[in-house]
Amino acid sequence: MSKQPLDATTVKEQSEVVRLLEQDRTPWYQKPNLRTLYLCLIPAALGVEMTTGYDGSVLNGLQAVSHWQTYFGHPSGARLGVLNASYNLGGLITLPIVPWVNDTLGRKHSITLGSIVLCIGVVLQASSQNFGMFMASRFILGTGIPFAVSGAAQLLAELTHPRERAVITGLFNVSWFIGAILAAGITLGTYSIPNNWAWRIPSILQAAPSLLQLTFIWFIPESPRWLLSRDRDDEAFEILVKYHAEGDRSDPFVNAEFVEIQNRLRLEKVNSKRRWIELLQTPGNRKRVLIAVCLGVFAQWSGNGLISYYLAKVLQTVGVKDRRTQNIINLSLSCWSFLTAATAAFATGFLRRRVQYLTSFVSITICFTILTAVSAKYAQSGGSAAATTVIAFIFIYNGFFNIMQPLLYVYTTEVFPFIHRAKGVAILQFFNRGSTAFNTFVNPIGLDALHWKYYLVYVVWLVCETTIVYFLYPETKGPTLEEIAKGS
């Protein structure tokens, strides 16, 4: 990036590819090849984040299942924190090699590798005989998910048509909530089973998204940008022609798009040896790295970690102790989050990135402040009104948080050029999972020790996050991926 903020509007106005793109008025659903591609991408790549969402919600649900609690000795405090953190710690171990796998095996086979490891982890989790085995299985699950997530995020950004790229990549992160809804619904449905199948069935069904990926991955092509980076130009061109021009090899848009991608990748290959150290050698790359770090940390350290993994404990602080009620609220919250995040994903088609981010951060700072104040009032005087208000503001907070939820991978893939994109996504995931691991270990300890006062930490931190976003994040909406890289 340059020292000046990225002027995305100017880059877009000078773009021949964008000019030709704007002349195409045919929607994707009227293009047979593109429609087929998108339908296959849903189970093969778009739904990869369902696994992560399922994991986050299933642990919320299992903590309210008496047979799970009894079988594993009622884990709490640091023990519960380590159990939750093990999933993300597993990801931290494998993340350093994820970019190499992405760039060597390709985006598709990175998804395949991750899905196979996830299935192995599910088998171990569902058959766990003790707490140590359950925790080890979650660690194995964590080692597989970065390969699948990184490959899928890049495949969606690099394969989809430029007009739908931001929305589809945004929906990728939104699929987290589909997994969360399934997990919440399944744990609610198996809650009353009078034996250990109450928790083993939800554990078994965690393999469903990975099995879908392993089935449908063979029906989609590889990223044309990855093929070009491996000097497989003819294959890349044929993929672009088939899906971006419906088989018309003379289409001006697809020819301009191919030449732009080809020229940009050649330039990046000449100027880069793909080394990690390159990310620290120029001001532009250092800023990219800082943005990826912030994206990863802020996605977990904005108060949402409390609700995602410890909703049951949060509800207990305001007197909601009935476990079935907790599960119902968990399921309702997952459905609400899916609706609001999906709406925000479609909004990426017309809202500027900074508008989405700043609206979200300012709003959740206000909401979390009110949530803290009402929780304090309940702690002092009790009363159903205060408890109801806390629950209401949990939903309101989630709605505003989800305004930025779809941008996590959209923004990362836009900020980083192809040659460093896999590393950028890995940095994002490393700090995202590292923050989650820290959060899931510290949050139960903080809640047990400080109760509602622990929320004050997040209020102060949210103010810091909002300030950093305002001064650090550039605008990237408008140009193609190659034009963003060229303009930065």
mmCIF file with all atom_site columns, all heavy atoms in Angstrom, residues 206-224:
data_model
loop_
_atom_site.group_PDB
_atom_site.id
_atom_site.type_symbol
_atom_site.label_atom_id
_atom_site.label_alt_id
_atom_site.label_comp_id
_atom_site.label_asym_id
_atom_site.label_entity_id
_atom_site.label_seq_id
_atom_site.pdbx_PDB_ins_code
_atom_site.Cartn_x
_atom_site.Cartn_y
_atom_site.Cartn_z
_atom_site.occupancy
_atom_site.B_iso_or_equiv
_atom_site.pdbx_formal_charge
_atom_site.auth_seq_id
_atom_site.auth_comp_id
_atom_site.auth_asym_id
_atom_site.auth_atom_id
_atom_site.pdbx_PDB_model_num
ATOM 1   N N   . GLN A 1 206 ? -21.233 -33.427 13.595  1.00 0.00 ? 206 GLN A N   1
ATOM 2   C CA  . GLN A 1 206 ? -20.275 -32.372 13.258  1.00 0.00 ? 206 GLN A CA  1
ATOM 3   C C   . GLN A 1 206 ? -19.510 -32.706 11.976  1.00 0.00 ? 206 GLN A C   1
ATOM 4   O O   . GLN A 1 206 ? -18.936 -31.820 11.337  1.00 0.00 ? 206 GLN A O   1
ATOM 5   C CB  . GLN A 1 206 ? -19.293 -32.159 14.415  1.00 0.00 ? 206 GLN A CB  1
ATOM 6   C CG  . GLN A 1 206 ? -18.406 -30.931 14.247  1.00 0.00 ? 206 GLN A CG  1
ATOM 7   C CD  . GLN A 1 206 ? -17.665 -30.567 15.518  1.00 0.00 ? 206 GLN A CD  1
ATOM 8   O OE1 . GLN A 1 206 ? -17.999 -31.062 16.585  1.00 0.00 ? 206 GLN A OE1 1
ATOM 9   N NE2 . GLN A 1 206 ? -16.680 -29.700 15.412  1.00 0.00 ? 206 GLN A NE2 1
ATOM 10  N N   . ALA A 1 207 ? -19.525 -33.965 11.563  1.00 0.00 ? 207 ALA A N   1
ATOM 11  C CA  . ALA A 1 207 ? -18.827 -34.373 10.336  1.00 0.00 ? 207 ALA A CA  1
ATOM 12  C C   . ALA A 1 207 ? -19.596 -33.999 9.073   1.00 0.00 ? 207 ALA A C   1
ATOM 13  O O   . ALA A 1 207 ? -19.027 -34.050 7.973   1.00 0.00 ? 207 ALA A O   1
ATOM 14  C CB  . ALA A 1 207 ? -18.578 -35.879 10.354  1.00 0.00 ? 207 ALA A CB  1
ATOM 15  N N   . ALA A 1 208 ? -20.878 -33.632 9.202   1.00 0.00 ? 208 ALA A N   1
ATOM 16  C CA  . ALA A 1 208 ? -21.716 -33.405 8.019   1.00 0.00 ? 208 ALA A CA  1
ATOM 17  C C   . ALA A 1 208 ? -21.139 -32.376 7.040   1.00 0.00 ? 208 ALA A C   1
ATOM 18  O O   . ALA A 1 208 ? -21.050 -32.640 5.832   1.00 0.00 ? 208 ALA A O   1
ATOM 19  C CB  . ALA A 1 208 ? -23.125 -33.008 8.452   1.00 0.00 ? 208 ALA A CB  1
ATOM 20  N N   . PRO A 1 209 ? -20.721 -31.170 7.495   1.00 0.00 ? 209 PRO A N   1
ATOM 21  C CA  . PRO A 1 209 ? -20.173 -30.202 6.534   1.00 0.00 ? 209 PRO A CA  1
ATOM 22  C C   . PRO A 1 209 ? -18.941 -30.727 5.794   1.00 0.00 ? 209 PRO A C   1
ATOM 23  O O   . PRO A 1 209 ? -18.799 -30.536 4.584   1.00 0.00 ? 209 PRO A O   1
ATOM 24  C CB  . PRO A 1 209 ? -19.820 -28.989 7.408   1.00 0.00 ? 209 PRO A CB  1
ATOM 25  C CG  . PRO A 1 209 ? -20.685 -29.113 8.615   1.00 0.00 ? 209 PRO A CG  1
ATOM 26  C CD  . PRO A 1 209 ? -20.799 -30.581 8.851   1.00 0.00 ? 209 PRO A CD  1
ATOM 27  N N   . SER A 1 210 ? -18.055 -31.411 6.515   1.00 0.00 ? 210 SER A N   1
ATOM 28  C CA  . SER A 1 210 ? -16.832 -31.928 5.886   1.00 0.00 ? 210 SER A CA  1
ATOM 29  C C   . SER A 1 210 ? -17.153 -33.005 4.858   1.00 0.00 ? 210 SER A C   1
ATOM 30  O O   . SER A 1 210 ? -16.508 -33.081 3.800   1.00 0.00 ? 210 SER A O   1
ATOM 31  C CB  . SER A 1 210 ? -15.892 -32.492 6.954   1.00 0.00 ? 210 SER A CB  1
ATOM 32  O OG  . SER A 1 210 ? -15.489 -31.474 7.844   1.00 0.00 ? 210 SER A OG  1
ATOM 33  N N   . LEU A 1 211 ? -18.136 -33.835 5.139   1.00 0.00 ? 211 LEU A N   1
ATOM 34  C CA  . LEU A 1 211 ? -18.536 -34.868 4.178   1.00 0.00 ? 211 LEU A CA  1
ATOM 35  C C   . LEU A 1 211 ? -19.126 -34.233 2.916   1.00 0.00 ? 211 LEU A C   1
ATOM 36  O O   . LEU A 1 211 ? -18.906 -34.730 1.805   1.00 0.00 ? 211 LEU A O   1
ATOM 37  C CB  . LEU A 1 211 ? -19.536 -35.823 4.823   1.00 0.00 ? 211 LEU A CB  1
ATOM 38  C CG  . LEU A 1 211 ? -18.972 -36.713 5.939   1.00 0.00 ? 211 LEU A CG  1
ATOM 39  C CD1 . LEU A 1 211 ? -20.092 -37.524 6.593   1.00 0.00 ? 211 LEU A CD1 1
ATOM 40  C CD2 . LEU A 1 211 ? -17.895 -37.644 5.391   1.00 0.00 ? 211 LEU A CD2 1
ATOM 41  N N   . LEU A 1 212 ? -19.863 -33.149 3.081   1.00 0.00 ? 212 LEU A N   1
ATOM 42  C CA  . LEU A 1 212 ? -20.379 -32.422 1.912   1.00 0.00 ? 212 LEU A CA  1
ATOM 43  C C   . LEU A 1 212 ? -19.239 -31.869 1.066   1.00 0.00 ? 212 LEU A C   1
ATOM 44  O O   . LEU A 1 212 ? -19.260 -31.937 -0.169  1.00 0.00 ? 212 LEU A O   1
ATOM 45  C CB  . LEU A 1 212 ? -21.296 -31.284 2.370   1.00 0.00 ? 212 LEU A CB  1
ATOM 46  C CG  . LEU A 1 212 ? -22.692 -31.669 2.855   1.00 0.00 ? 212 LEU A CG  1
ATOM 47  C CD1 . LEU A 1 212 ? -23.412 -30.441 3.410   1.00 0.00 ? 212 LEU A CD1 1
ATOM 48  C CD2 . LEU A 1 212 ? -23.509 -32.274 1.716   1.00 0.00 ? 212 LEU A CD2 1
ATOM 49  N N   . GLN A 1 213 ? -18.231 -31.319 1.734   1.00 0.00 ? 213 GLN A N   1
ATOM 50  C CA  . GLN A 1 213 ? -17.088 -30.765 0.990   1.00 0.00 ? 213 GLN A CA  1
ATOM 51  C C   . GLN A 1 213 ? -16.345 -31.851 0.226   1.00 0.00 ? 213 GLN A C   1
ATOM 52  O O   . GLN A 1 213 ? -15.974 -31.669 -0.932  1.00 0.00 ? 213 GLN A O   1
ATOM 53  C CB  . GLN A 1 213 ? -16.145 -30.054 1.963   1.00 0.00 ? 213 GLN A CB  1
ATOM 54  C CG  . GLN A 1 213 ? -16.697 -28.739 2.491   1.00 0.00 ? 213 GLN A CG  1
ATOM 55  C CD  . GLN A 1 213 ? -16.468 -28.546 3.977   1.00 0.00 ? 213 GLN A CD  1
ATOM 56  O OE1 . GLN A 1 213 ? -15.441 -28.971 4.510   1.00 0.00 ? 213 GLN A OE1 1
ATOM 57  N NE2 . GLN A 1 213 ? -17.422 -27.931 4.655   1.00 0.00 ? 213 GLN A NE2 1
ATOM 58  N N   . LEU A 1 214 ? -16.124 -32.987 0.860   1.00 0.00 ? 214 LEU A N   1
ATOM 59  C CA  . LEU A 1 214 ? -15.419 -34.085 0.211   1.00 0.00 ? 214 LEU A CA  1
ATOM 60  C C   . LEU A 1 214 ? -16.210 -34.662 -0.959  1.00 0.00 ? 214 LEU A C   1
ATOM 61  O O   . LEU A 1 214 ? -15.630 -35.238 -1.885  1.00 0.00 ? 214 LEU A O   1
ATOM 62  C CB  . LEU A 1 214 ? -15.116 -35.189 1.225   1.00 0.00 ? 214 LEU A CB  1
ATOM 63  C CG  . LEU A 1 214 ? -14.064 -34.855 2.281   1.00 0.00 ? 214 LEU A CG  1
ATOM 64  C CD1 . LEU A 1 214 ? -14.002 -35.942 3.343   1.00 0.00 ? 214 LEU A CD1 1
ATOM 65  C CD2 . LEU A 1 214 ? -12.700 -34.664 1.632   1.00 0.00 ? 214 LEU A CD2 1
ATOM 66  N N   . THR A 1 215 ? -17.533 -34.491 -0.945  1.00 0.00 ? 215 THR A N   1
ATOM 67  C CA  . THR A 1 215 ? -18.372 -34.972 -2.038  1.00 0.00 ? 215 THR A CA  1
ATOM 68  C C   . THR A 1 215 ? -18.406 -34.002 -3.217  1.00 0.00 ? 215 THR A C   1
ATOM 69  O O   . THR A 1 215 ? -18.226 -34.398 -4.375  1.00 0.00 ? 215 THR A O   1
ATOM 70  C CB  . THR A 1 215 ? -19.813 -35.215 -1.539  1.00 0.00 ? 215 THR A CB  1
ATOM 71  O OG1 . THR A 1 215 ? -19.795 -36.167 -0.473  1.00 0.00 ? 215 THR A OG1 1
ATOM 72  C CG2 . THR A 1 215 ? -20.700 -35.733 -2.671  1.00 0.00 ? 215 THR A CG2 1
ATOM 73  N N   . PHE A 1 216 ? -18.595 -32.718 -2.940  1.00 0.00 ? 216 PHE A N   1
ATOM 74  C CA  . PHE A 1 216 ? -18.837 -31.748 -4.006  1.00 0.00 ? 216 PHE A CA  1
ATOM 75  C C   . PHE A 1 216 ? -17.582 -31.039 -4.518  1.00 0.00 ? 216 PHE A C   1
ATOM 76  O O   . PHE A 1 216 ? -17.647 -30.344 -5.529  1.00 0.00 ? 216 PHE A O   1
ATOM 77  C CB  . PHE A 1 216 ? -19.856 -30.704 -3.534  1.00 0.00 ? 216 PHE A CB  1
ATOM 78  C CG  . PHE A 1 216 ? -21.266 -31.217 -3.512  1.00 0.00 ? 216 PHE A CG  1
ATOM 79  C CD1 . PHE A 1 216 ? -21.793 -31.804 -2.369  1.00 0.00 ? 216 PHE A CD1 1
ATOM 80  C CD2 . PHE A 1 216 ? -22.065 -31.116 -4.641  1.00 0.00 ? 216 PHE A CD2 1
ATOM 81  C CE1 . PHE A 1 216 ? -23.090 -32.282 -2.346  1.00 0.00 ? 216 PHE A CE1 1
ATOM 82  C CE2 . PHE A 1 216 ? -23.373 -31.596 -4.630  1.00 0.00 ? 216 PHE A CE2 1
ATOM 83  C CZ  . PHE A 1 216 ? -23.878 -32.183 -3.481  1.00 0.00 ? 216 PHE A CZ  1
ATOM 84  N N   . ILE A 1 217 ? -16.450 -31.203 -3.833  1.00 0.00 ? 217 ILE A N   1
ATOM 85  C CA  . ILE A 1 217 ? -15.233 -30.509 -4.260  1.00 0.00 ? 217 ILE A CA  1
ATOM 86  C C   . ILE A 1 217 ? -14.808 -30.936 -5.658  1.00 0.00 ? 217 ILE A C   1
ATOM 87  O O   . ILE A 1 217 ? -14.154 -30.174 -6.388  1.00 0.00 ? 217 ILE A O   1
ATOM 88  C CB  . ILE A 1 217 ? -14.084 -30.767 -3.245  1.00 0.00 ? 217 ILE A CB  1
ATOM 89  C CG1 . ILE A 1 217 ? -12.946 -29.760 -3.445  1.00 0.00 ? 217 ILE A CG1 1
ATOM 90  C CG2 . ILE A 1 217 ? -13.572 -32.188 -3.343  1.00 0.00 ? 217 ILE A CG2 1
ATOM 91  C CD1 . ILE A 1 217 ? -13.285 -28.364 -3.047  1.00 0.00 ? 217 ILE A CD1 1
ATOM 92  N N   . TRP A 1 218 ? -15.208 -32.141 -6.080  1.00 0.00 ? 218 TRP A N   1
ATOM 93  C CA  . TRP A 1 218 ? -14.807 -32.670 -7.387  1.00 0.00 ? 218 TRP A CA  1
ATOM 94  C C   . TRP A 1 218 ? -15.655 -32.100 -8.522  1.00 0.00 ? 218 TRP A C   1
ATOM 95  O O   . TRP A 1 218 ? -15.359 -32.350 -9.697  1.00 0.00 ? 218 TRP A O   1
ATOM 96  C CB  . TRP A 1 218 ? -14.892 -34.197 -7.375  1.00 0.00 ? 218 TRP A CB  1
ATOM 97  C CG  . TRP A 1 218 ? -14.221 -34.771 -6.168  1.00 0.00 ? 218 TRP A CG  1
ATOM 98  C CD1 . TRP A 1 218 ? -14.827 -35.333 -5.076  1.00 0.00 ? 218 TRP A CD1 1
ATOM 99  C CD2 . TRP A 1 218 ? -12.819 -34.785 -5.891  1.00 0.00 ? 218 TRP A CD2 1
ATOM 100 N NE1 . TRP A 1 218 ? -13.890 -35.704 -4.143  1.00 0.00 ? 218 TRP A NE1 1
ATOM 101 C CE2 . TRP A 1 218 ? -12.652 -35.382 -4.613  1.00 0.00 ? 218 TRP A CE2 1
ATOM 102 C CE3 . TRP A 1 218 ? -11.687 -34.352 -6.591  1.00 0.00 ? 218 TRP A CE3 1
ATOM 103 C CZ2 . TRP A 1 218 ? -11.395 -35.553 -4.037  1.00 0.00 ? 218 TRP A CZ2 1
ATOM 104 C CZ3 . TRP A 1 218 ? -10.435 -34.531 -6.008  1.00 0.00 ? 218 TRP A CZ3 1
ATOM 105 C CH2 . TRP A 1 218 ? -10.307 -35.121 -4.758  1.00 0.00 ? 218 TRP A CH2 1
ATOM 106 N N   . PHE A 1 219 ? -16.675 -31.328 -8.184  1.00 0.00 ? 219 PHE A N   1
ATOM 107 C CA  . PHE A 1 219 ? -17.548 -30.764 -9.214  1.00 0.00 ? 219 PHE A CA  1
ATOM 108 C C   . PHE A 1 219 ? -17.242 -29.296 -9.509  1.00 0.00 ? 219 PHE A C   1
ATOM 109 O O   . PHE A 1 219 ? -17.960 -28.666 -10.289 1.00 0.00 ? 219 PHE A O   1
ATOM 110 C CB  . PHE A 1 219 ? -19.020 -30.911 -8.794  1.00 0.00 ? 219 PHE A CB  1
ATOM 111 C CG  . PHE A 1 219 ? -19.482 -32.332 -8.666  1.00 0.00 ? 219 PHE A CG  1
ATOM 112 C CD1 . PHE A 1 219 ? -19.454 -32.984 -7.443  1.00 0.00 ? 219 PHE A CD1 1
ATOM 113 C CD2 . PHE A 1 219 ? -19.931 -33.027 -9.783  1.00 0.00 ? 219 PHE A CD2 1
ATOM 114 C CE1 . PHE A 1 219 ? -19.871 -34.305 -7.322  1.00 0.00 ? 219 PHE A CE1 1
ATOM 115 C CE2 . PHE A 1 219 ? -20.358 -34.340 -9.680  1.00 0.00 ? 219 PHE A CE2 1
ATOM 116 C CZ  . PHE A 1 219 ? -20.321 -34.980 -8.445  1.00 0.00 ? 219 PHE A CZ  1
ATOM 117 N N   . ILE A 1 220 ? -16.212 -28.755 -8.873  1.00 0.00 ? 220 ILE A N   1
ATOM 118 C CA  . ILE A 1 220 ? -15.856 -27.358 -9.122  1.00 0.00 ? 220 ILE A CA  1
ATOM 119 C C   . ILE A 1 220 ? -14.419 -27.272 -9.627  1.00 0.00 ? 220 ILE A C   1
ATOM 120 O O   . ILE A 1 220 ? -13.606 -28.144 -9.340  1.00 0.00 ? 220 ILE A O   1
ATOM 121 C CB  . ILE A 1 220 ? -16.019 -26.499 -7.849  1.00 0.00 ? 220 ILE A CB  1
ATOM 122 C CG1 . ILE A 1 220 ? -15.135 -27.022 -6.717  1.00 0.00 ? 220 ILE A CG1 1
ATOM 123 C CG2 . ILE A 1 220 ? -17.478 -26.437 -7.422  1.00 0.00 ? 220 ILE A CG2 1
ATOM 124 C CD1 . ILE A 1 220 ? -15.128 -26.139 -5.488  1.00 0.00 ? 220 ILE A CD1 1
ATOM 125 N N   . PRO A 1 221 ? -14.094 -26.224 -10.384 1.00 0.00 ? 221 PRO A N   1
ATOM 126 C CA  . PRO A 1 221 ? -12.732 -26.075 -10.911 1.00 0.00 ? 221 PRO A CA  1
ATOM 127 C C   . PRO A 1 221 ? -11.791 -25.454 -9.881  1.00 0.00 ? 221 PRO A C   1
ATOM 128 O O   . PRO A 1 221 ? -12.233 -24.956 -8.840  1.00 0.00 ? 221 PRO A O   1
ATOM 129 C CB  . PRO A 1 221 ? -12.920 -25.131 -12.103 1.00 0.00 ? 221 PRO A CB  1
ATOM 130 C CG  . PRO A 1 221 ? -14.079 -24.275 -11.703 1.00 0.00 ? 221 PRO A CG  1
ATOM 131 C CD  . PRO A 1 221 ? -15.001 -25.185 -10.905 1.00 0.00 ? 221 PRO A CD  1
ATOM 132 N N   . GLU A 1 222 ? -10.501 -25.489 -10.192 1.00 0.00 ? 222 GLU A N   1
ATOM 133 C CA  . GLU A 1 222 ? -9.493  -24.842 -9.378  1.00 0.00 ? 222 GLU A CA  1
ATOM 134 C C   . GLU A 1 222 ? -9.524  -23.332 -9.640  1.00 0.00 ? 222 GLU A C   1
ATOM 135 O O   . GLU A 1 222 ? -10.075 -22.866 -10.638 1.00 0.00 ? 222 GLU A O   1
ATOM 136 C CB  . GLU A 1 222 ? -8.116  -25.423 -9.707  1.00 0.00 ? 222 GLU A CB  1
ATOM 137 C CG  . GLU A 1 222 ? -6.949  -24.885 -8.909  1.00 0.00 ? 222 GLU A CG  1
ATOM 138 C CD  . GLU A 1 222 ? -7.114  -24.987 -7.400  1.00 0.00 ? 222 GLU A CD  1
ATOM 139 O OE1 . GLU A 1 222 ? -6.754  -26.017 -6.819  1.00 0.00 ? 222 GLU A OE1 1
ATOM 140 O OE2 . GLU A 1 222 ? -7.610  -23.999 -6.821  1.00 0.00 ? 222 GLU A OE2 1
ATOM 141 N N   . SER A 1 223 ? -8.949  -22.569 -8.733  1.00 0.00 ? 223 SER A N   1
ATOM 142 C CA  . SER A 1 223 ? -8.851  -21.122 -8.910  1.00 0.00 ? 223 SER A CA  1
ATOM 143 C C   . SER A 1 223 ? -8.048  -20.793 -10.165 1.00 0.00 ? 223 SER A C   1
ATOM 144 O O   . SER A 1 223 ? -6.903  -21.249 -10.309 1.00 0.00 ? 223 SER A O   1
ATOM 145 C CB  . SER A 1 223 ? -8.156  -20.499 -7.687  1.00 0.00 ? 223 SER A CB  1
ATOM 146 O OG  . SER A 1 223 ? -7.647  -19.216 -7.998  1.00 0.00 ? 223 SER A OG  1
ATOM 147 N N   . PRO A 1 224 ? -8.606  -20.020 -11.100 1.00 0.00 ? 224 PRO A N   1
ATOM 148 C CA  . PRO A 1 224 ? -7.846  -19.650 -12.299 1.00 0.00 ? 224 PRO A CA  1
ATOM 149 C C   . PRO A 1 224 ? -6.600  -18.834 -11.968 1.00 0.00 ? 224 PRO A C   1
ATOM 150 O O   . PRO A 1 224 ? -5.594  -18.914 -12.670 1.00 0.00 ? 224 PRO A O   1
ATOM 151 C CB  . PRO A 1 224 ? -8.846  -18.842 -13.130 1.00 0.00 ? 224 PRO A CB  1
ATOM 152 C CG  . PRO A 1 224 ? -9.902  -18.410 -12.164 1.00 0.00 ? 224 PRO A CG  1
ATOM 153 C CD  . PRO A 1 224 ? -9.969  -19.465 -11.121 1.00 0.00 ? 224 PRO A CD  1
#
